[in-house]
Amino acid sequence: MTVFVLEQLLNGLQLGVTLFLLAAGLTLIFGIMGIINLAHGSLYMIGAYAAALVARETGSWLLAVPAGLLAAGAAGMLIEMVIMRRLYDRDHLDQVLATYGLILFCNELVTLLVGRQPMFVGIPPGLAGAIELIPGVPYSIYRLSIIGFGLALAVGLYLLIQKTRLGMLIRAGATNRDTVRALGVDIRLLYTLVFGLGALLAGFAGIMMGPLLSVQVGMGEQILIMTFVVVVVGGVGSIRGAFFGAIIVGIVDTMLRGFMPGWMRGIISDTAQADALSAGLSSMGVYLLMALVLLFRPQGLFPART
Amino acid sequence: MKRRDFLVGSAVGAAALAAPSLVRAQAPLRMGLITTLTGPGGYLGADIRDAMLLAIEQGNGRLGGIAVQPVVEDDALRPGQGKTIAERMLRTDGIRLFTGIVFSNVLGAVAPDVLDGGGIYVSPNAGPSNFAGRECHRNFFAVAWQNDALHESAGRSATELGYNRAFILSPNYQAGQDALNGFKRMFRGTIVGEQFTRLDQTDYAAEMAAIRAANPDVVFQFHPGGLGIAFIRQYQQAGLLGRIPMVVAAPSMDHTIMNSVGDAALGVNLTTHWNVDFENPGSQAFVAAFRAKYNRTPTFYAGQAWDTALAIGAALRQTNGNVTDTNAFRTAMLRADFQSIRGPFRFGPNQFPVQDWWSAQVVRNAAGQLEIKTGRKILENHSDSYAASCRI
Amino acid sequence: MTRQNVSIVLIVVLGALLLAVPALAAALGNPALVGLATRVLIYAIAAASLNLVLGYGGMVSFGHAAFLGVGGYVVGILFHHFRFSEPLFGVIAGSDQLLVVLPAAVLITGILAAGIGALALRTSGVQFIMITLAFAQMLYFFFIALKTYGGDDGLVIRRRSALFDLDMRDDRTFFYVVLGFAVTFFAIYATVIRSRFGLLLGAIRQNESRVAAVGIAPYRYKLAAFVISGMGAGLAGALLANYQRFVSPDMLHWTKSGELMMMVILGGAGTLFGPLFGAAALISLETYLTQWTERWMLILGPVLILIVLFMRGGIAGLIDQLLRRLK
């Protein structure tokens, strides 16, 4: 039993850091530019596809990772300059719809370029296999490395935001947009950079998840809504919130998925019914969490410090 | 594109062949081919479509001497979409003959519509238990299998291989439930864990943890198409491969899955009703023709679709292409007057197949490549356990 | 001609066109047109309902597909129990009568909307968008969990609900039934909008604190609008389930909520007939672009973005401008 719990904790952590990479960008864009960007998942998909294609053609992950990052980052900045810029002063409804249109476009464009069949890319050779980090629990090296990279990026992002001038501007922008403008900073450039940074992180998440799952059209939407849960639970505009929110959501979701079937089978004898019920109920869990947070702590559990 | 070219070509061919006296003002018989062409299960439908088109092409645009025009549409593995397409074909286009569906949940939404509307459905893959038993229908024919039967053979195989404690998994839909029921029916050991996944699931980390915690001596799983690729890969990454052997039925280890997962497939035991190495002449001719045209090895999905096309052809020949007289069509169909690439084949009382099941294993051949090698016969003239409750 | 006369002429023309749809379809040799028009009417009801909170009330609900889906499931579940003659919870008998299942769907979605609205309306702005999304997602997964009613495979309704002795299987008959419901719905809807309640709703959207200052509690009015809106979407869902004879969790998916919003914006938010135009435009675009090219999303996506960026007021706004020029 402990072995099962430990393995599930690791799984939850892995989902958590992946969500963090997506949520970090989303929460910054949300907090600084006030934009609800539904198309954030598309950047995740673009990163995954670019890396998978390069990995398939060249067989080299040393080329694939930069290619994925480049594609996601460039796509992000392009989207910011062509579309997002015009949405900053609009209400949320317009933002939701325009970025929804963007999802449709991105999905179809990728289908046109790559086809409808999912791509299955192999694990980078050095990271294949399992390792017994905890005695008796062999765990996928690749999943462990996702956790490692994710945590390293979290630290890097913390340093960037706390210790650099860009970070100072981002922090200021998240809490008070006008102050930044008053400082004489080129706010347009700052916005483009922040959007690009968010896209880069989303793209990196996509690159890493590609070999684990399969790279397919629609993968972005599957994870997007959960990313919104993270942002809301953590607190809009707060990187710290995104981090803790992601870990909480990742672990809650994984644990519910792990334990719900057992509980349900205690109540319902038919396995098919019990498992369907537990699949549904465990998926509901994080949304319930989000609704509760919105009702009782609308600013989120870890709001941006002002 | 290819399909359109082919249609034009066959139409020209048919026109050239038809002597003036034979020119009846009769358009080719349109056949609805609804199948899954997108998503993780996309290649399953592609193989079904391609084998059927191949069969029609080899008959110069005809099946059983009757000009046939397949109308191919993608259900995207969404029951609602399949139903919408079927309804349009049935009501707007006046199509009466349907085939092609891969997944049992899509079939569950489409078949009632087709049958209620006076149409005929010939299944090249999905064979859910409800249509084999209580809800069997005079105009529903399954050429592939009844879902349970397929996994019954896997249960028998696991027993014969001497395994005692099995952990079993499948997606939670009709065919998945049939799979686990089928396996349990013929497995003589104990089931130490049973888990349903979701049909749109991509991450199996939780299942891997559960398998490890249960520590079985065999894993049986049913995950067709892309699901199987993801499952077996994650099984390998979780370090379970090599520790806990796997016994599966054909859909969880077809040629595409084997090629995608590479060495992770080596040694997997499976059971099947047909494999590319079958030696009967019909099978060998089909495999050669399929490889020549599409430059890939046909999966058993293609094989089933080929047999389905032959079965439909045989019925059309006898009824002279009339699909509105469903009684005559049914009589003709049930004769199964075609040479199945599986060898002996007949329809049982519920209009589902009675056929043999074989064991097979993924091995490395002399050229160093992976291949699925057929072994012993496991079940002979096997029908299914629902035929008794079917009252036609 | 005065503005009002023009509107009346337009409504008459629109009505005549709708009445003539089955005849037109027969004349054009395109029977599928009847089904298309049926779907347009059903989605128009759903989009108009959303428009009440979104356009008139300024509440951006990103979870209205939940009401559509629940309305559909009420029909599906009642039919399921009718077919197998097993009462629901052992007491509620199933039914296949349209005049039973439709009111039931409206009632249940109304209760649901009251519950969700009572909680969600404690928030506003982005929080409101997110909390409506959260509730819709919960319901989406709830229906996936209900294996008895098909889970994610959905629930097949073998026969459309019966209404008197009409042959509901006939698409033309069903179209006229839906048209009847749509006309009734829009008549009630127009009355609600022009009532004191409708005017107050607009005032709340424009300046909530001022309304509150006059001594009127905005919360109650917003909740009432939300409930009416949920009931309308539930009605549409019940009709849709009947039309397609199938319900599945797809009807509650968040992309469906997005589509409904799209219809409202495309047609013109805060206008009476905007959602009808939006539904007609989107569904015809979808139907005909699909026939023309598989890649229709490649066109629809950018069109949507352009509309949001440059065409305020949607189709209704466009028509309004044209009419103004006519004068």
Side-chain angles (χ1 to χ4, degrees), chain C residues 40-80:
Chain C
V40 167
L41 286 177
I42 294 172
Y43 275 105
I45 296 176
S49 304
L50 175 60
N51 191 24
L52 183 68
V53 289
L54 194 149
Y56 292 98
M59 297 166 261
V60 183
S61 163
F62 199 6
H64 250 57
F67 304 120
L68 188 78
V70 170
Y73 264 103
V74 170
V75 175
I77 290 171
L78 285 176
F79 184 78
H80 181 84

mmCIF file of all heavy atoms in Angstrom, chain C residues 40-80:
data_model
loop_
_atom_site.group_PDB
_atom_site.id
_atom_site.type_symbol
_atom_site.label_atom_id
_atom_site.label_comp_id
_atom_site.label_asym_id
_atom_site.label_seq_id
_atom_site.Cartn_x
_atom_site.Cartn_y
_atom_site.Cartn_z
ATOM 1 N N VAL C 40 -31.145 24.807 -36.680
ATOM 2 C CA VAL C 40 -30.985 26.252 -36.513
ATOM 3 C C VAL C 40 -31.967 26.775 -35.475
ATOM 4 O O VAL C 40 -31.587 27.510 -34.557
ATOM 5 C CB VAL C 40 -31.187 26.977 -37.865
ATOM 6 C CG1 VAL C 40 -31.335 28.474 -37.647
ATOM 7 C CG2 VAL C 40 -30.025 26.689 -38.798
ATOM 8 N N LEU C 41 -33.230 26.349 -35.580
ATOM 9 C CA LEU C 41 -34.236 26.838 -34.636
ATOM 10 C C LEU C 41 -33.899 26.426 -33.205
ATOM 11 O O LEU C 41 -34.016 27.221 -32.267
ATOM 12 C CB LEU C 41 -35.609 26.293 -35.017
ATOM 13 C CG LEU C 41 -36.258 26.938 -36.249
ATOM 14 C CD1 LEU C 41 -37.574 26.250 -36.567
ATOM 15 C CD2 LEU C 41 -36.476 28.423 -36.018
ATOM 16 N N ILE C 42 -33.473 25.169 -33.049
ATOM 17 C CA ILE C 42 -33.165 24.682 -31.701
ATOM 18 C C ILE C 42 -31.992 25.460 -31.107
ATOM 19 O O ILE C 42 -32.045 25.928 -29.966
ATOM 20 C CB ILE C 42 -32.861 23.172 -31.735
ATOM 21 C CG1 ILE C 42 -34.111 22.391 -32.132
ATOM 22 C CG2 ILE C 42 -32.355 22.705 -30.379
ATOM 23 C CD1 ILE C 42 -33.872 20.920 -32.387
ATOM 24 N N TYR C 43 -30.937 25.608 -31.906
ATOM 25 C CA TYR C 43 -29.784 26.353 -31.388
ATOM 26 C C TYR C 43 -30.119 27.822 -31.185
ATOM 27 O O TYR C 43 -29.544 28.482 -30.318
ATOM 28 C CB TYR C 43 -28.577 26.190 -32.303
ATOM 29 C CG TYR C 43 -27.797 24.935 -31.987
ATOM 30 C CD1 TYR C 43 -27.862 23.810 -32.793
ATOM 31 C CD2 TYR C 43 -27.019 24.868 -30.832
ATOM 32 C CE1 TYR C 43 -27.168 22.654 -32.483
ATOM 33 C CE2 TYR C 43 -26.319 23.722 -30.510
ATOM 34 C CZ TYR C 43 -26.395 22.613 -31.347
ATOM 35 O OH TYR C 43 -25.715 21.481 -31.020
ATOM 36 N N ALA C 44 -31.055 28.349 -31.977
ATOM 37 C CA ALA C 44 -31.461 29.746 -31.785
ATOM 38 C C ALA C 44 -32.083 29.910 -30.399
ATOM 39 O O ALA C 44 -31.824 30.901 -29.718
ATOM 40 C CB ALA C 44 -32.441 30.154 -32.874
ATOM 41 N N ILE C 45 -32.882 28.919 -29.987
ATOM 42 C CA ILE C 45 -33.482 28.997 -28.643
ATOM 43 C C ILE C 45 -32.377 28.993 -27.581
ATOM 44 O O ILE C 45 -32.380 29.798 -26.654
ATOM 45 C CB ILE C 45 -34.446 27.811 -28.412
ATOM 46 C CG1 ILE C 45 -35.621 27.893 -29.389
ATOM 47 C CG2 ILE C 45 -34.937 27.793 -26.966
ATOM 48 C CD1 ILE C 45 -36.572 26.708 -29.308
ATOM 49 N N ALA C 46 -31.406 28.089 -27.755
ATOM 50 C CA ALA C 46 -30.318 28.004 -26.784
ATOM 51 C C ALA C 46 -29.504 29.288 -26.758
ATOM 52 O O ALA C 46 -29.195 29.830 -25.684
ATOM 53 C CB ALA C 46 -29.425 26.811 -27.101
ATOM 54 N N ALA C 47 -29.163 29.790 -27.944
ATOM 55 C CA ALA C 47 -28.319 30.986 -28.010
ATOM 56 C C ALA C 47 -29.070 32.196 -27.478
ATOM 57 O O ALA C 47 -28.497 33.035 -26.774
ATOM 58 C CB ALA C 47 -27.857 31.224 -29.447
ATOM 59 N N ALA C 48 -30.370 32.298 -27.786
ATOM 60 C CA ALA C 48 -31.152 33.419 -27.274
ATOM 61 C C ALA C 48 -31.197 33.378 -25.753
ATOM 62 O O ALA C 48 -31.112 34.410 -25.082
ATOM 63 C CB ALA C 48 -32.559 33.384 -27.862
ATOM 64 N N SER C 49 -31.316 32.169 -25.209
ATOM 65 C CA SER C 49 -31.324 32.040 -23.754
ATOM 66 C C SER C 49 -30.017 32.537 -23.162
ATOM 67 O O SER C 49 -30.004 33.275 -22.176
ATOM 68 C CB SER C 49 -31.519 30.575 -23.356
ATOM 69 O OG SER C 49 -32.676 30.072 -23.937
ATOM 70 N N LEU C 50 -28.922 32.148 -23.791
ATOM 71 C CA LEU C 50 -27.620 32.609 -23.311
ATOM 72 C C LEU C 50 -27.537 34.128 -23.444
ATOM 73 O O LEU C 50 -27.009 34.817 -22.582
ATOM 74 C CB LEU C 50 -26.502 31.934 -24.116
ATOM 75 C CG LEU C 50 -25.084 32.393 -23.807
ATOM 76 C CD1 LEU C 50 -24.740 32.131 -22.352
ATOM 77 C CD2 LEU C 50 -24.081 31.690 -24.710
ATOM 78 N N ASN C 51 -28.119 34.633 -24.524
ATOM 79 C CA ASN C 51 -28.080 36.070 -24.790
ATOM 80 C C ASN C 51 -28.731 36.874 -23.671
ATOM 81 O O ASN C 51 -28.310 37.987 -23.373
ATOM 82 C CB ASN C 51 -28.786 36.341 -26.128
ATOM 83 C CG ASN C 51 -28.562 37.749 -26.614
ATOM 84 O OD1 ASN C 51 -27.580 38.378 -26.241
ATOM 85 N ND2 ASN C 51 -29.456 38.236 -27.453
ATOM 86 N N LEU C 52 -29.729 36.284 -23.035
ATOM 87 C CA LEU C 52 -30.404 37.009 -21.949
ATOM 88 C C LEU C 52 -29.409 37.355 -20.838
ATOM 89 O O LEU C 52 -29.404 38.482 -20.341
ATOM 90 C CB LEU C 52 -31.549 36.166 -21.388
ATOM 91 C CG LEU C 52 -32.374 36.837 -20.294
ATOM 92 C CD1 LEU C 52 -33.176 37.992 -20.862
ATOM 93 C CD2 LEU C 52 -33.299 35.838 -19.611
ATOM 94 N N VAL C 53 -28.568 36.394 -20.445
ATOM 95 C CA VAL C 53 -27.596 36.714 -19.393
ATOM 96 C C VAL C 53 -26.373 37.414 -19.980
ATOM 97 O O VAL C 53 -25.839 38.341 -19.398
ATOM 98 C CB VAL C 53 -27.137 35.456 -18.606
ATOM 99 C CG1 VAL C 53 -28.246 34.945 -17.735
ATOM 100 C CG2 VAL C 53 -26.599 34.376 -19.487
ATOM 101 N N LEU C 54 -25.938 36.954 -21.163
ATOM 102 C CA LEU C 54 -24.683 37.455 -21.713
ATOM 103 C C LEU C 54 -24.858 38.828 -22.358
ATOM 104 O O LEU C 54 -24.138 39.773 -22.056
ATOM 105 C CB LEU C 54 -24.162 36.431 -22.720
ATOM 106 C CG LEU C 54 -22.726 36.574 -23.176
ATOM 107 C CD1 LEU C 54 -22.138 35.220 -23.490
ATOM 108 C CD2 LEU C 54 -22.640 37.443 -24.408
ATOM 109 N N GLY C 55 -25.843 38.932 -23.234
ATOM 110 C CA GLY C 55 -26.036 40.179 -23.966
ATOM 111 C C GLY C 55 -26.764 41.227 -23.142
ATOM 112 O O GLY C 55 -26.301 42.357 -23.004
ATOM 113 N N TYR C 56 -27.913 40.854 -22.581
ATOM 114 C CA TYR C 56 -28.706 41.819 -21.830
ATOM 115 C C TYR C 56 -28.179 42.012 -20.416
ATOM 116 O O TYR C 56 -28.148 43.116 -19.904
ATOM 117 C CB TYR C 56 -30.176 41.388 -21.795
ATOM 118 C CG TYR C 56 -30.834 41.458 -23.149
ATOM 119 C CD1 TYR C 56 -30.971 40.343 -23.941
ATOM 120 C CD2 TYR C 56 -31.302 42.679 -23.638
ATOM 121 C CE1 TYR C 56 -31.568 40.408 -25.192
ATOM 122 C CE2 TYR C 56 -31.895 42.767 -24.890
ATOM 123 C CZ TYR C 56 -32.029 41.624 -25.670
ATOM 124 O OH TYR C 56 -32.604 41.710 -26.896
ATOM 125 N N GLY C 57 -27.776 40.912 -19.782
ATOM 126 C CA GLY C 57 -27.397 41.005 -18.378
ATOM 127 C C GLY C 57 -25.909 41.213 -18.139
ATOM 128 O O GLY C 57 -25.495 41.481 -17.015
ATOM 129 N N GLY C 58 -25.087 41.045 -19.204
ATOM 130 C CA GLY C 58 -23.651 41.260 -19.053
ATOM 131 C C GLY C 58 -22.952 40.210 -18.202
ATOM 132 O O GLY C 58 -21.874 40.451 -17.676
ATOM 133 N N MET C 59 -23.575 39.042 -18.049
ATOM 134 C CA MET C 59 -22.924 37.970 -17.277
ATOM 135 C C MET C 59 -22.365 36.955 -18.266
ATOM 136 O O MET C 59 -23.134 36.305 -18.974
ATOM 137 C CB MET C 59 -23.939 37.271 -16.367
ATOM 138 C CG MET C 59 -24.545 38.169 -15.315
ATOM 139 S SD MET C 59 -26.008 37.388 -14.570
ATOM 140 C CE MET C 59 -27.344 38.177 -15.459
ATOM 141 N N VAL C 60 -21.052 36.841 -18.324
ATOM 142 C CA VAL C 60 -20.436 35.966 -19.313
ATOM 143 C C VAL C 60 -20.407 34.535 -18.773
ATOM 144 O O VAL C 60 -19.497 34.141 -18.064
ATOM 145 C CB VAL C 60 -19.017 36.430 -19.676
ATOM 146 C CG1 VAL C 60 -18.441 35.550 -20.763
ATOM 147 C CG2 VAL C 60 -19.049 37.872 -20.123
ATOM 148 N N SER C 61 -21.439 33.779 -19.115
ATOM 149 C CA SER C 61 -21.488 32.393 -18.659
ATOM 150 C C SER C 61 -20.760 31.508 -19.658
ATOM 151 O O SER C 61 -21.095 31.459 -20.827
ATOM 152 C CB SER C 61 -22.951 31.938 -18.536
ATOM 153 O OG SER C 61 -23.000 30.530 -18.475
ATOM 154 N N PHE C 62 -19.755 30.806 -19.156
ATOM 155 C CA PHE C 62 -18.969 29.914 -20.018
ATOM 156 C C PHE C 62 -19.373 28.466 -19.724
ATOM 157 O O PHE C 62 -18.579 27.560 -19.860
ATOM 158 C CB PHE C 62 -17.477 30.136 -19.734
ATOM 159 C CG PHE C 62 -16.562 29.635 -20.824
ATOM 160 C CD1 PHE C 62 -17.048 29.134 -22.016
ATOM 161 C CD2 PHE C 62 -15.186 29.665 -20.651
ATOM 162 C CE1 PHE C 62 -16.206 28.687 -23.005
ATOM 163 C CE2 PHE C 62 -14.319 29.221 -21.638
ATOM 164 C CZ PHE C 62 -14.840 28.727 -22.825
ATOM 165 N N GLY C 63 -20.618 28.288 -19.327
ATOM 166 C CA GLY C 63 -21.026 26.926 -18.978
ATOM 167 C C GLY C 63 -22.455 26.617 -19.385
ATOM 168 O O GLY C 63 -23.095 25.752 -18.816
ATOM 169 N N HIS C 64 -22.953 27.325 -20.392
ATOM 170 C CA HIS C 64 -24.355 27.133 -20.736
ATOM 171 C C HIS C 64 -24.646 25.806 -21.407
ATOM 172 O O HIS C 64 -25.792 25.374 -21.428
ATOM 173 C CB HIS C 64 -24.873 28.311 -21.559
ATOM 174 C CG HIS C 64 -25.843 29.155 -20.796
ATOM 175 N ND1 HIS C 64 -25.515 29.740 -19.601
ATOM 176 C CD2 HIS C 64 -27.136 29.480 -21.024
ATOM 177 C CE1 HIS C 64 -26.560 30.391 -19.132
ATOM 178 N NE2 HIS C 64 -27.556 30.252 -19.993
ATOM 179 N N ALA C 65 -23.611 25.169 -21.957
ATOM 180 C CA ALA C 65 -23.822 23.855 -22.564
ATOM 181 C C ALA C 65 -24.326 22.878 -21.501
ATOM 182 O O ALA C 65 -25.012 21.908 -21.822
ATOM 183 C CB ALA C 65 -22.535 23.343 -23.185
ATOM 184 N N ALA C 66 -24.017 23.139 -20.241
ATOM 185 C CA ALA C 66 -24.479 22.258 -19.165
ATOM 186 C C ALA C 66 -25.999 22.175 -19.166
ATOM 187 O O ALA C 66 -26.578 21.090 -19.039
ATOM 188 C CB ALA C 66 -23.976 22.763 -17.817
ATOM 189 N N PHE C 67 -26.661 23.316 -19.339
ATOM 190 C CA PHE C 67 -28.133 23.308 -19.322
ATOM 191 C C PHE C 67 -28.683 22.630 -20.568
ATOM 192 O O PHE C 67 -29.673 21.913 -20.514
ATOM 193 C CB PHE C 67 -28.662 24.733 -19.181
ATOM 194 C CG PHE C 67 -28.115 25.429 -17.965
ATOM 195 C CD1 PHE C 67 -27.373 26.593 -18.072
ATOM 196 C CD2 PHE C 67 -28.312 24.883 -16.703
ATOM 197 C CE1 PHE C 67 -26.854 27.210 -16.955
ATOM 198 C CE2 PHE C 67 -27.796 25.506 -15.576
ATOM 199 C CZ PHE C 67 -27.058 26.673 -15.702
ATOM 200 N N LEU C 68 -28.015 22.879 -21.681
ATOM 201 C CA LEU C 68 -28.403 22.215 -22.930
ATOM 202 C C LEU C 68 -28.341 20.699 -22.736
ATOM 203 O O LEU C 68 -29.275 19.967 -23.057
ATOM 204 C CB LEU C 68 -27.448 22.652 -24.045
ATOM 205 C CG LEU C 68 -27.776 22.225 -25.463
ATOM 206 C CD1 LEU C 68 -28.879 23.098 -26.029
ATOM 207 C CD2 LEU C 68 -26.550 22.308 -26.360
ATOM 208 N N GLY C 69 -27.220 20.246 -22.192
ATOM 209 C CA GLY C 69 -27.008 18.820 -22.021
ATOM 210 C C GLY C 69 -27.963 18.206 -21.011
ATOM 211 O O GLY C 69 -28.532 17.141 -21.245
ATOM 212 N N VAL C 70 -28.165 18.902 -19.889
ATOM 213 C CA VAL C 70 -29.061 18.350 -18.871
ATOM 214 C C VAL C 70 -30.475 18.249 -19.423
ATOM 215 O O VAL C 70 -31.167 17.243 -19.227
ATOM 216 C CB VAL C 70 -29.012 19.201 -17.583
ATOM 217 C CG1 VAL C 70 -30.107 18.793 -16.624
ATOM 218 C CG2 VAL C 70 -27.657 19.045 -16.907
ATOM 219 N N GLY C 71 -30.891 19.266 -20.172
ATOM 220 C CA GLY C 71 -32.212 19.215 -20.810
ATOM 221 C C GLY C 71 -32.331 17.985 -21.699
ATOM 222 O O GLY C 71 -33.340 17.276 -21.676
ATOM 223 N N GLY C 72 -31.285 17.731 -22.446
ATOM 224 C CA GLY C 72 -31.270 16.560 -23.326
ATOM 225 C C GLY C 72 -31.311 15.268 -22.529
ATOM 226 O O GLY C 72 -32.057 14.339 -22.864
ATOM 227 N N TYR C 73 -30.537 15.224 -21.465
ATOM 228 C CA TYR C 73 -30.485 13.988 -20.665
ATOM 229 C C TYR C 73 -31.813 13.687 -19.982
ATOM 230 O O TYR C 73 -32.160 12.532 -19.764
ATOM 231 C CB TYR C 73 -29.338 14.055 -19.636
ATOM 232 C CG TYR C 73 -28.089 13.369 -20.153
ATOM 233 C CD1 TYR C 73 -27.021 14.096 -20.634
ATOM 234 C CD2 TYR C 73 -27.994 11.975 -20.193
ATOM 235 C CE1 TYR C 73 -25.884 13.470 -21.139
ATOM 236 C CE2 TYR C 73 -26.877 11.338 -20.682
ATOM 237 C CZ TYR C 73 -25.817 12.090 -21.148
ATOM 238 O OH TYR C 73 -24.717 11.463 -21.647
ATOM 239 N N VAL C 74 -32.552 14.750 -19.608
ATOM 240 C CA VAL C 74 -33.865 14.504 -18.996
ATOM 241 C C VAL C 74 -34.725 13.704 -19.969
ATOM 242 O O VAL C 74 -35.359 12.704 -19.597
ATOM 243 C CB VAL C 74 -34.545 15.833 -18.614
ATOM 244 C CG1 VAL C 74 -35.990 15.580 -18.205
ATOM 245 C CG2 VAL C 74 -33.801 16.505 -17.476
ATOM 246 N N VAL C 75 -34.719 14.114 -21.238
ATOM 247 C CA VAL C 75 -35.493 13.394 -22.254
ATOM 248 C C VAL C 75 -34.970 11.964 -22.407
ATOM 249 O O VAL C 75 -35.735 10.998 -22.396
ATOM 250 C CB VAL C 75 -35.416 14.132 -23.610
ATOM 251 C CG1 VAL C 75 -36.103 13.320 -24.693
ATOM 252 C CG2 VAL C 75 -36.029 15.511 -23.501
ATOM 253 N N GLY C 76 -33.646 11.855 -22.520
ATOM 254 C CA GLY C 76 -33.036 10.546 -22.716
ATOM 255 C C GLY C 76 -33.315 9.598 -21.567
ATOM 256 O O GLY C 76 -33.693 8.444 -21.768
ATOM 257 N N ILE C 77 -33.158 10.102 -20.351
ATOM 258 C CA ILE C 77 -33.315 9.238 -19.173
ATOM 259 C C ILE C 77 -34.779 8.835 -19.003
ATOM 260 O O ILE C 77 -35.088 7.671 -18.737
ATOM 261 C CB ILE C 77 -32.770 9.958 -17.912
ATOM 262 C CG1 ILE C 77 -31.246 10.040 -18.007
ATOM 263 C CG2 ILE C 77 -33.191 9.234 -16.649
ATOM 264 C CD1 ILE C 77 -30.597 10.903 -16.955
ATOM 265 N N LEU C 78 -35.690 9.784 -19.196
ATOM 266 C CA LEU C 78 -37.113 9.435 -19.065
ATOM 267 C C LEU C 78 -37.504 8.417 -20.121
ATOM 268 O O LEU C 78 -38.259 7.483 -19.849
ATOM 269 C CB LEU C 78 -37.983 10.694 -19.183
ATOM 270 C CG LEU C 78 -37.973 11.595 -17.944
ATOM 271 C CD1 LEU C 78 -38.782 12.854 -18.185
ATOM 272 C CD2 LEU C 78 -38.509 10.852 -16.725
ATOM 273 N N PHE C 79 -36.972 8.556 -21.337
ATOM 274 C CA PHE C 79 -37.297 7.580 -22.380
ATOM 275 C C PHE C 79 -36.718 6.210 -22.031
ATOM 276 O O PHE C 79 -37.369 5.183 -22.220
ATOM 277 C CB PHE C 79 -36.783 8.039 -23.745
ATOM 278 C CG PHE C 79 -37.184 7.090 -24.839
ATOM 279 C CD1 PHE C 79 -38.470 7.114 -25.356
ATOM 280 C CD2 PHE C 79 -36.296 6.133 -25.317
ATOM 281 C CE1 PHE C 79 -38.862 6.222 -26.337
ATOM 282 C CE2 PHE C 79 -36.684 5.233 -26.298
ATOM 283 C CZ PHE C 79 -37.972 5.279 -26.811
ATOM 284 N N HIS C 80 -35.497 6.233 -21.507
ATOM 285 C CA HIS C 80 -34.834 4.991 -21.108
ATOM 286 C C HIS C 80 -35.707 4.223 -20.115
ATOM 287 O O HIS C 80 -35.915 3.020 -20.245
ATOM 288 C CB HIS C 80 -33.483 5.354 -20.490
ATOM 289 C CG HIS C 80 -32.668 4.185 -20.044
ATOM 290 N ND1 HIS C 80 -31.858 3.469 -20.892
ATOM 291 C CD2 HIS C 80 -32.542 3.606 -18.829
ATOM 292 C CE1 HIS C 80 -31.267 2.503 -20.228
ATOM 293 N NE2 HIS C 80 -31.653 2.563 -18.966
#
